[in-house]
Amino acid sequence: MRVSRRTTLAGLVAAPLVAPVMSRAAAPDYTITPTPVADGIWMITGADEGIAFDNGGAIANITVIATPAGTVLVDSGPSLRYGQRLKHVAESLTGRSVVRVYVTHLHPDHGMGIGAFAPEIVAALPGTIAGMSRDGQGFSDQMYRLLGDWMRGTDLALPGKTIGGDEEDFGGRRLRLLALSGHSAADLAVLDEQSGTLIGGDLLFHDRAPATPTADLARWRQSLAALDALGHKGAIPGHGPYDGTGRQAIAQTRAWIDWLDTALTEAVRGGMDMVEAGRMVIPEQLRNMASGRYELQRSVSHFYPMLEAKLLPRVDQS
Ligand SMILES: [Zn+2]
């Protein structure tokens, strides 16, 4: 078989969140360190990397919220072992049992820890549950290949509760539930009304380039506009550090996807191939976003064929 540069590049970067590391070694336990960001809210910061054996897949940010009715988690990490450790750490921190786990979207770094919780307390948008039902086994297989022993005991689990309403009240602490999309087909954002903290899931990337394997950039822009209008204080992004301004992660995510959209369109029109497009210059003002080159190359691999089909004339039909 002739391997073109395109198939090589696509193979390297097409799979979600892949860093090519494999190991059969026994994994150590996860270190989970919650940092307080607002009254009764802690953030557990994920590694600023792709999923790899060295980080056990713990790359997404997780949020712990203390409420009078019990502990609420937003996202659950990449594996059963992570979810079990998270449950222990969160309950020790707040002194109350976990009563709700929200899964923000279908990606495995956010939702594969839910096996540690009773399905009826795990809630997600209908589109997220549909996406996990469709793609979850494939994600799980990839995670086992990358993470080996970290994944031991992790089976694909689905949220048992479908989010229908737009808020939930936990003994007086009210959480607004925003059904958005763009990073994926269904993205949940959560606003804690008491502290004004927005938990943006992967709609928000902060000091870290946005991941786009399942993205619809036009919808993502609309969702960012909706978040921008909330009047919140701080924001917890899906990846990257806490945003005390509440605005910076929104602005950075928007700047990256706007640039990406224009740059890829111009690259296709200018006749660049995928390898060349993956090597294009990233503008100065976006270079402080971690994993920029890695995410650009992944974005090229899944957007390019679609853009070429849309933008380039077919010689056999002209
Ligand atoms: Zn994601």
Side-chain angles (χ1 to χ4, degrees):
M1 177 187 133
R2 183 175 164 273
V3 179
S4 69
R5 285 196 296 170
R6 169 164 304 190
T7 51
T8 308
L9 179 66
L12 279 175
V13 295
L17 305 161
V18 164
V21 178
M22 290 179 72
S23 176
R24 297 267 170 267
D29 209 351
Y30 289 100
T31 305
I32 293 179
T33 313
T35 306
V37 295
D39 184 28
I41 303 195
W42 294 261
M43 170 174 159
I44 297 159
T45 307
D48 233 345
E49 302 160 355
I51 290 172
F53 186 81
D54 286 348
N55 57 42
I59 64 165
N61 294 334
I62 313 286
T63 303
V64 181
I65 308 171
T67 82
T71 303
V72 174
L73 300 175
V74 183
D75 285 328
S76 63
S79 62
L80 177 66
R81 193 185 305 183
Y82 188 99
Q84 288 169 336
R85 185 92 197 112
L86 172 64
K87 182 173 189 292
H88 174 77
V89 167
E91 290 179 347
S92 308
L93 186 67
T94 62
R96 290 175 189 267
S97 304
V98 173
V99 294
R100 173 73 68 238
V101 182
Y102 293 110
V103 180
T104 55
H105 65 295
L106 81 169
H107 290 153
D109 48 330
H110 297 259
M112 288 208 64
I114 61 174
F117 304 91
E120 60 269 23
I121 69 162
V122 181
L125 295 169
T128 299
I129 298 174
M132 290 173 82
S133 310
R134 185 189 63 229
D135 299 334
Q137 195 55 53
F139 285 145
S140 174
D141 292 347
Q142 275 179 344
M143 297 289 272
Y144 268 90
R145 277 197 293 276
L146 290 167
L147 299 178
D149 188 64
W150 287 106
M151 294 296 289
R152 196 181 337 143
T154 309
D155 287 321
L156 174 62
L158 295 175
K161 183 177 163 64
T162 303
I163 295 173
D166 56 8
E167 64 169 48
E168 253 193 297
D169 189 308
F170 296 92
R173 190 159 199 166
R174 251 203 335 234
L175 302 180
R176 271 174 66 189
L177 307 175
L178 299 129
L180 299 166
S181 64
H183 171 72
S184 72
D187 294 296
L188 176 70
V190 177
L191 177 67
D192 171 53
E193 292 189 344
Q194 184 177 312
S195 68
T197 306
L198 169 65
I199 301 129
D202 275 7
L203 289 169
L204 297 184
F205 282 72
H206 189 210
D207 294 340
R208 206 267 185 210
T212 64
T214 54
D216 177 322
L217 300 182
R219 283 194 184 174
W220 200 336
R221 250 181 233 113
Q222 289 171 1
S223 294
L224 290 171
L227 295 180
D228 218 359
L230 283 176
H232 58 282
K233 294 190 179 119
I236 296 178
H239 296 267
Y242 175 69
D243 176 8
T245 72
R247 295 295 174 282
Q248 195 169 43
I250 295 174
Q252 285 183 357
T253 305
R254 180 161 40 212
W256 179 275
I257 65 175
D258 282 352
W259 166 70
L260 185 70
D261 210 358
T262 307
L264 292 187
T265 301
E266 283 172 3
V268 169
R269 288 214 169 105
M272 275 190 202
D273 67 23
M274 287 173 78
V275 174
E276 289 165 336
R279 289 183 185 146
M280 75 171 77
V281 175
I282 296 171
E284 181 79 46
Q285 69 272 23
L286 299 175
R287 278 186 218 150
N288 58 347
M289 296 175 87
S291 303
R293 180 66 51 194
Y294 167 74
E295 292 299 347
L296 169 61
Q297 291 182 342
R298 293 173 71 208
S299 296
V300 167
S301 78
H302 53 258
F303 282 132
Y304 228 65
M306 191 174 63
L307 283 170
E308 285 182 330
K310 192 172 108 185
L311 298 172
L312 298 182
R314 284 186 57 164
V315 290
D316 61 337
Q317 289 181 354
S318 55

